Amino acid sequence: MIRPFTIDDYDAVLALWQTSEGVGLSDADSRESIAGYLARNPGHSFVAEIDGALVGAVLCGHDGRRGYIHHLAVHPDYRRQGIGQNLVTYCLAALREAGIQKCHLFVFGENGNGRAFWQDIGWTERVELVLMSKSTK
Ligand SMILES: CC(C)(COP(=O)(O)OP(=O)(O)OC[C@H]1O[C@@H](n2cnc3c(N)ncnc32)[C@H](O)[C@@H]1OP(=O)(O)O)[C@@H](O)C(=O)NCCC(=O)NCCS
């Protein structure tokens, strides 16, 4: 079952992310930060449950122009069953409903499985772009 991610899911989702290769966690993933993100983007982030156990999660939101997906993860015991793709489908539907026409995401270059997943479900690698970052401090 796919359902919206609420802050009550935080502990289970964090445990999943912490054991998911390819998910990079930072201070932006504190309970407070995730609560803020979910409040700013209601109904865009989702979890997958099987028999009451949380087996997948994804963050999704938009800035009014473009959508962004972060931290998609599926528990290793439940991979290759379409759960990851299903979570992404829910995110894209929520963005479409909000009037957002394109979504971006970030993948570590060394995450070969993750890159294969995104390409296989129809995403395009933007090889012409380089990500740049700076602290606001
Ligand atoms: C990437 C991830 C979310 C995929 O979840 P999943 O539920 O197994 O994916 P799906 O079953 O929906 O896969 C859909 C298709 O993607 C492709 N795919 C999925 N995992 C793949 C892998 N490890 N290698 C190559 N292709 C893969 C396949 O084409 C698959 O279809 P198929 O099973 O019929 O061949 C999961 O492997 C994961 O949690 N990885 C660790 C975290 C991570 O890297 N997240 C991405 C961060 S950007």
Side-chain angles (χ1 to χ4, degrees):
M1 176 182 76
I2 306 266
R3 62 166 179 76
F5 180 162
T6 76
I7 196 59
D8 293 340
D9 298 311
Y10 179 78
D11 289 337
V13 171
L14 184 65
L16 174 66
W17 285 341
Q18 283 172 333
T19 54
S20 295
E21 74 284 7
V23 174
L25 297 174
S26 72
D27 55 354
D29 299 301
S30 67
R31 182 184 297 272
E32 187 185 20
S33 292
I34 296 297
Y37 187 87
L38 296 175
R40 279 177 60 104
N41 298 282
H44 284 62
S45 299
F46 297 92
V47 296
E49 278 183 333
I50 292 181
D51 296 333
L54 192 142
V55 301
V58 64
L59 286 176
C60 174
H62 68 82
D63 56 17
R65 296 176 66 246
R66 295 302 194 204
Y68 297 89
I69 284 176
H70 308 277
H71 294 359
L72 173 68
V74 174
H75 187 285
D77 294 347
Y78 295 90
R79 291 184 186 167
R80 305 305 286 260
Q81 298 178 27
I83 295 171
Q85 183 166 14
N86 212 4
L87 285 163
V88 173
T89 298
Y90 274 67
C91 292
L92 294 181
L95 290 171
R96 201 160 45 240
E97 197 154 309
I100 301 298
Q101 298 185 3
K102 188 179 276 188
C103 184
H104 302 305
L105 58 85
F106 310 100
V107 190
F108 287 110
E110 63 191 17
N111 184 358
N113 288 341
R115 291 170 67 170
F117 165 79
W118 291 110
Q119 288 188 322
D120 282 2
I121 69 164
W123 291 62
T124 302
E125 288 198 359
R126 300 293 299 272
V127 293
E128 76 278 27
L129 295 178
V130 173
L131 177 67
M132 299 183 75
S133 308
K134 191 176 192 305
S135 165
T136 59
K137 283 183 204 145

